[in-house]
Amino acid sequence: LPLFTAPMDTVVDSENEQLFKDLGVNVCLPRGLEGKDNSFVSYSLNDFKEIIIKKELPSINGKKKYVLIDTANGHIKDMIHCIRIAKKKWGKQLVLMVGNVANSKTYEILSDAGADLIRCGIGNGNGCLTTQQLGVGYPMASLIRECYIASCSLENPAKIVADGGMKSYSDVIKALALGADYVMLGSIFNKSIESCGKNYIFENIPIPSSFAKRLHKLGFKVFKKFRGMSTKEVQKKWGSLKLKTSEGVVRIREVEYTLEGWVDNFKSYLRSAMSYSDSFDLEEFVNKANFIKISENALKRFNK
């Protein structure tokens, strides 16, 4: 499927990694976890620099290694430098995802440096406060389309990974129609009973995952913790001695579905959307849509 898990520690871990894969979802693990086979593992930019200096890419063993350089701001010279050195050293053995970016020019620069996939989107995520508090960001639909247009003039364009702010099936489908190769989901996957967020009843009483699944199956309300990866909680987890002001949120949210149920629905809705636009496969569907600005009244009808 054209989907990725967001590398969030309330979404995916080593315990549920295989379940996502079995359902056709590409896995991108949070920092500190080693994945299986073609899962992307995440490193901070500084940690990835150390790997380049040591000239050893962990666990490559002659197979492809899938790596995400996990930074909030990919618009920096060090990122370009690291991509060039890493791809020169390991070539096609290394599949490199980078980001995040919020303009098409940086998408072009990182593509030309050798990135294989680029996370596009800053400040749109449901666990993120960057745009709200800093004023930094870019509207997602416009960003996807502008990056897609830029990709058409590049010799080796990176795959576009639309990252952040998806709230519904239609948001994911529109992201693909506007030119994204993949859509990365955090909040949506967190609301499944199988996500790795801590489980609660009555919003504040923690319970084991196995018990939470039984309660959910019986129809009882179960809640999950969801948090952005720039929160102070995560900074502490990563061992930061000096905590920065959080650009993320921590929330307790009600579980809404099983992962399998959500994925099955997504497949059906995507197929139907493709049929409406006369697309036989995803290659035909991506970038097939035109988009228009609609009135507030039309938006209310859409969001009924």
Side-chain angles (χ1 to χ4, degrees):
L1 294 172
L3 303 174
F4 268 103
T5 64
M8 303 176 76
D9 65 1
T10 53
V11 173
V12 62
D13 62 10
S14 300
E15 297 296 319
N16 64 6
E17 172 189 4
Q18 192 58 48
L19 174 61
F20 279 104
K21 288 184 173 183
D22 291 343
L23 292 171
V25 178
N26 299 286
V27 170
C28 191
L29 291 164
R31 295 185 204 176
L33 297 178
E34 276 297 323
K36 304 170 186 174
D37 299 327
N38 59 347
S39 291
F40 279 79
V41 294
S42 301
Y43 299 97
S44 70
L45 183 57
N46 285 336
D47 286 344
F48 194 71
K49 284 182 190 175
E50 290 298 316
I51 289 172
I52 291 174
I53 291 168
K54 292 177 182 176
K55 299 182 179 179
E56 292 182 9
L57 196 59
S59 306
I60 200 160
N61 297 328
K63 298 180 181 179
K64 281 188 177 180
K65 180 72 173 181
Y66 297 79
V67 168
L68 164 67
I69 304 179
D70 182 26
T71 62
N73 177 15
H75 302 261
I76 46 181
K77 290 181 179 179
D78 272 1
M79 176 70 80
I80 303 165
H81 187 59
C82 280
I83 294 168
R84 285 176 176 158
I85 292 175
K87 292 300 285 187
K88 184 176 181 180
K89 177 170 178 54
W90 291 295
K92 292 183 179 179
Q93 271 193 299
L94 173 66
V95 180
L96 193 58
M97 186 191 303
V98 302
N100 281 44
V101 306
N103 71 66
S104 58
K105 184 63 179 177
T106 312
Y107 166 81
E108 291 181 43
I109 293 169
L110 299 185
S111 283
D112 287 339
D116 298 293
L117 304 96
I118 298 175
R119 295 165 78 188
C120 298
I122 288 177
N124 295 294
N126 293 299
C128 181
L129 294 174
T130 300
T131 297
Q132 184 177 341
Q133 301 292 15
L134 281 65
V136 174
Y138 204 89
M140 182 58 86
S142 298
L143 179 61
I144 294 168
R145 175 50 67 95
E146 290 173 22
C147 288
Y148 177 83
I149 292 170
S151 75
C152 295
S153 63
L154 299 178
E155 187 175 341
N156 294 300
K159 299 290 186 184
I160 297 168
V161 182
D163 177 23
M166 308 297 160
K167 297 182 184 296
S168 63
Y169 297 107
S170 66
D171 285 345
V172 181
I173 290 167
K174 285 184 283 187
L176 295 167
L178 288 168
D181 297 286
Y182 298 95
V183 179
M184 182 169 274
L185 302 176
S187 173
I188 284 176
F189 285 151
N190 169 263
K191 287 190 285 187
S192 70
I193 188 63
E194 296 89 354
S195 73
C196 66
K198 289 182 179 179
N199 300 278
Y200 300 88
I201 54 172
F202 306 117
E203 299 189 45
N204 59 4
I205 301 175
I207 56 175
S209 177
S210 57
F211 185 41
K213 289 176 183 177
R214 289 200 297 271
L215 287 178
H216 179 70
K217 191 173 183 179
L218 291 170
F220 291 95
K221 285 187 177 182
V222 178
F223 298 85
K224 288 272 187 182
K225 174 179 272 192
F226 176 66
R227 65 185 184 186
M229 297 303 283
S230 68
T231 55
K232 289 185 177 180
E233 282 189 7
V234 175
Q235 292 176 47
K236 288 178 183 177
K237 178 182 176 182
W238 286 345
S240 299
L241 299 177
K242 186 176 181 181
L243 302 182
K244 298 182 293 183
T245 300
S246 173
E247 291 179 34
V249 300
V250 180
R251 294 187 178 129
I252 303 297
R253 310 187 308 166
E254 185 177 346
V255 170
E256 295 185 13
Y257 34 72
T258 65
L259 187 58
E260 183 177 11
W262 189 92
V263 169
D264 283 345
N265 285 342
F266 172 70
K267 289 178 181 177
S268 294
Y269 288 138
L270 179 57
R271 287 192 186 103
S272 187
M274 289 166 65
S275 73
Y276 274 105
S277 55
D278 192 30
S279 300
F280 184 77
D281 55 29
L282 274 174
E283 188 174 352
E284 288 184 13
F285 184 68
V286 169
N287 190 46
K288 192 154 193 176
N290 291 321
F291 64 98
I292 59 170
K293 186 176 181 179
I294 61 175
S295 68
E296 185 66 27
N297 201 38
L299 183 62
K300 288 177 182 176
R301 287 178 175 269
F302 178 77
N303 287 330
K304 58 181 177 291

